[in-house]
Amino acid sequence: MANRSAVVDIYLSGGNGRMFWPCRLQPFDESIPTVRRSSSKYIIDSGFQEAESNTDAPINATLGDFVGENTSRSEPSRDASLSGPEIKELVDAAYERRAGYIIPNDTVNTPNVAMRTAIEETAEKVEAFLDYVDETTFPATVIVPLQPNHALHYAYLAEHYPRQAKRGHFALGGMKNLTPHEQVACIRGFREVAGYEPYVHAFGVGSSRVLIEALREDPALLQSVDFSTPQHHATSGRIAGTSRIPIYVGTAQGTDSASTCAQLMSAELMDIARMLSPTMTSDEDVRVRWDQFEKYHKRLEKNILEANPEFEWELLKERHNSFDQLVASSSDDQIDTELLEAFRDKLSDHLSQETLGGSGPQHTGFGTA
């Protein structure tokens, strides 16, 4: 119910096929039948390969920076077939997996790849894909990938590749390493140029609270997102709720641990879907209850020390000075200094007792707040 009520389609990217989730995305080279069978909507992403060279382009480039011989379609900067899977392989995979959407090869704007190179090469590769397929019979909808600056990429297509610009489906990439606020700014910047008519998918933007709040405020901002965050959390024994801060709970290892991970993933995905369903959750329902975090950590400290008094004391010794520094540099409205001070004092007492009872030299202290 929650996944159908969410304001966007939530695509889980990852390879765990031991749970049903309606929307799944997999790279071409990781696509497996079990994941496809455990979903109703499926995106095949071609994946990407960095370009072999980096050309100079300013970070604040404008469309005028792209005028010149490098924009000529008769002299592409490199053969569009040289990176990523062959177009025929992508097409065959779309038929085999019965994909609803497919994302052609692209070149991602990374520190080693200039913006101009990424935009031009991506346009060449997408054009080659569109030339190859017959969309009147092709089973999947082609989503055009865009590189940052997405608005600039879109404007470049409008001038040099109008067939792509006139399409109704775009995927905004290259935002994985941006802060959540920067991601939302990129998406809004694209909407200011392209408007709200196109279907827009956001690649690997994570499931931050900032993005969730932006989508609750403006549900039309995106039509779909994908992330692997719940799978990363589950495989490391963590889960995140309304705060989107992962809490370690730990899971038993051994045979069939993937099934436990699948259930944790399902629970977290369902919670995200509910948070993205204003008809199911009010702003009060998704409010972060920070007071509960404080109570949780106090109980956790007490329970750990009762269960194992020697719990990671060596590690805590190494961190003692940093605790003092944190307390000294923090104000009451920023952090619970009383809790930290109490913990530091408790640690100091433990170390004093440990030293007085031993044969080694005594410790006089590990710093002051």
Side-chain angles (χ1 to χ4, degrees):
M1 176 66 178
N3 56 294
R4 292 195 298 270
S5 300
V7 297
V8 295
D9 284 339
I10 302 169
Y11 280 83
L12 173 65
S13 56
N16 191 316
R18 301 194 183 193
M19 56 169 283
F20 175 83
W21 186 254
C23 304
R24 300 295 293 264
L25 177 147
Q26 287 193 294
F28 163 80
D29 57 355
E30 297 176 15
S31 176
I32 55 176
T34 54
V35 169
R36 179 62 186 99
R37 287 196 296 267
S38 61
S39 63
S40 54
K41 295 182 179 180
Y42 191 70
I43 295 177
I44 293 179
D45 178 19
S46 62
F48 72 92
Q49 178 176 323
E50 290 188 12
E52 297 169 354
S53 61
N54 188 352
T55 58
D56 294 329
I59 189 101
N60 59 343
T62 65
L63 193 59
D65 294 311
F66 289 77
V67 177
E69 61 180 4
N70 283 342
T71 62
S72 171
R73 290 179 56 188
S74 62
E75 295 182 17
S77 60
R78 62 187 293 229
D79 188 335
S81 66
L82 291 181
S83 65
E86 294 290 337
I87 293 177
K88 184 179 184 305
E89 293 177 313
L90 278 175
V91 171
D92 290 345
Y95 280 103
E96 182 179 353
R97 295 282 186 263
R98 296 174 290 106
Y101 298 96
I102 192 162
I103 300 168
N105 290 322
D106 60 349
T107 298
V108 175
N109 178 207
T110 66
N112 296 323
V113 180
M115 181 196 303
R116 174 171 179 161
T117 302
I119 290 176
E120 290 181 346
E121 291 193 1
T122 296
E124 293 163 10
K125 294 173 184 178
V126 172
E127 197 71 7
F129 188 90
L130 294 175
D131 286 342
Y132 184 89
V133 299
D134 179 1
E135 293 192 82
T136 61
T137 58
F138 189 56
T141 297
V142 179
I143 301 180
V144 176
L146 300 178
Q147 307 302 328
N149 179 312
H150 307 106
L152 176 61
H153 191 161
Y154 181 76
Y156 173 76
L157 295 180
E159 183 164 335
H160 298 284
Y161 295 86
R163 176 170 62 160
Q164 293 183 41
K166 292 177 182 178
R167 301 187 65 82
H169 293 75
F170 299 94
L172 309 185
M175 296 188 287
K176 180 179 179 180
N177 296 322
L178 300 182
T179 68
H181 287 287
E182 290 171 337
Q183 291 175 344
V184 172
C186 279
I187 297 165
R188 286 178 173 153
F190 176 74
R191 285 299 193 189
E192 288 176 3
V193 173
Y196 278 77
E197 289 188 11
Y199 177 107
V200 177
H201 176 89
F203 271 129
V205 288
S207 53
S208 70
R209 185 167 179 86
V210 171
L211 180 63
I212 289 171
E213 289 176 345
L215 289 171
R216 285 179 67 89
E217 179 184 341
D218 185 1
L221 198 58
L222 294 169
Q223 278 64 55
S224 60
V225 296
D226 76 84
F227 44 72
S228 57
T229 310
Q231 180 154 319
H232 291 314
H233 288 170
T235 54
S236 60
R238 299 178 296 166
I239 191 167
T242 54
S243 69
R244 304 307 305 142
I245 298 173
I247 300 296
Y248 178 78
V249 294
T251 55
Q253 301 302 300
T255 303
D256 205 25
S257 61
S259 293
T260 300
C261 287
Q263 295 307 309
L264 286 175
M265 289 160 55
S266 181
E268 187 166 330
L269 281 164
M270 189 60 69
D271 212 40
I272 294 170
R274 291 178 60 248
M275 292 174 70
L276 286 171
S277 305
T279 58
M280 299 183 70
T281 52
S282 66
D283 290 343
E284 175 62 21
D285 292 330
V286 300
R287 179 175 64 86
V288 181
R289 288 161 174 77
W290 295 113
D291 59 319
Q292 294 299 319
F293 271 80
E294 180 182 344
K295 293 178 182 177
Y296 166 80
H297 283 101
K298 286 182 177 179
R299 288 196 305 269
L300 181 63
E301 175 197 338
K302 180 175 181 292
N303 293 340
I304 288 177
L305 291 176
E306 286 180 353
N308 181 9
E310 302 301 318
F311 174 70
E312 292 187 349
W313 283 117
E314 292 301 322
L315 179 61
L316 290 173
K317 289 178 190 177
E318 296 174 5
R319 293 180 177 175
H320 187 67
N321 284 330
S322 64
F323 268 109
D324 286 340
Q325 293 166 9
L326 180 60
V327 172
S329 63
S330 302
S331 59
D332 290 336
D333 61 342
Q334 292 176 319
I335 197 165
D336 189 344
T337 53
E338 290 185 5
L339 179 63
L340 281 177
E341 288 173 346
F343 185 71
R344 182 203 60 206
D345 293 342
K346 206 176 288 186
L347 174 59
S348 296
D349 290 343
H350 173 86
L351 293 175
S352 297
Q353 293 171 13
E354 182 184 64
T355 303
L356 290 172
S359 58
Q362 293 188 6
H363 296 274
T364 58
F366 281 79
T368 57

